[in-house]
Amino acid sequence: MEQKKAKITERKLEVLAALKTFGTSIYNQLDEGVFPTINMPSRSTENINYDPALRQYILGEKNVGRSARNIRHIKTLYSTCMVCHV
C-alpha cells in the first residue's frame, strides 16, 4: 500500500512540474511580446494507435502547433490553457 501511495505522489509531482513548465512557457512568450505557441499531440485518426498490451488506444508521435497568431487556433489554445489551469 505504501508503494502505491509513493507512486501516486511521484506521478502528482511529475504532473505539477509539467503544468508549471507549460505555464512558464506561455508566460515567457507573452512577456517577450510574441504570440503564445504550444505543441501538442495530434488527435487526428491518423495518429491514434491501438496498443494490444494496454488494451487501449494511444496517441502516436505526431504533434501539431497551436498559436494565438492564427485566429483558428485561439479557441484551442485558450481551452488548453483553461484545462491546465483547473
Side-chain angles (χ1 to χ4, degrees):
M1 189 68 167
E2 298 266 336
Q3 219 174 18
K4 188 174 180 179
K5 285 183 182 180
K7 269 190 169 181
I8 292 171
T9 301
E10 182 180 328
R11 182 65 182 144
K12 282 184 181 181
L13 293 174
E14 289 173 12
V15 170
L16 285 173
L19 289 172
K20 286 179 183 178
T21 300
F22 176 78
T24 301
S25 172
I26 296 292
Y27 177 85
N28 289 340
Q29 291 175 67
L30 290 169
D31 195 43
E32 293 168 5
V34 298
F35 288 102
T37 302
I38 61 169
N39 289 313
M40 54 194 221
S42 172
R43 295 185 310 265
S44 70
T45 54
E46 299 165 355
N47 196 41
I48 298 174
N49 305 305
Y50 183 74
D51 186 336
L54 296 174
R55 297 178 58 195
Q56 66 185 16
Y57 289 94
I58 58 171
L59 292 175
E61 298 294 321
K62 292 182 184 176
N63 286 321
V64 293
R66 297 287 183 242
S67 172
R69 179 181 296 272
N70 185 331
I71 194 78
R72 292 181 178 169
H73 295 173
I74 289 177
K75 184 178 177 184
T76 304
L77 179 67
Y78 173 76
S79 297
T80 303
C81 291
M82 290 307 295
V83 167
C84 291
H85 174 70
V86 174

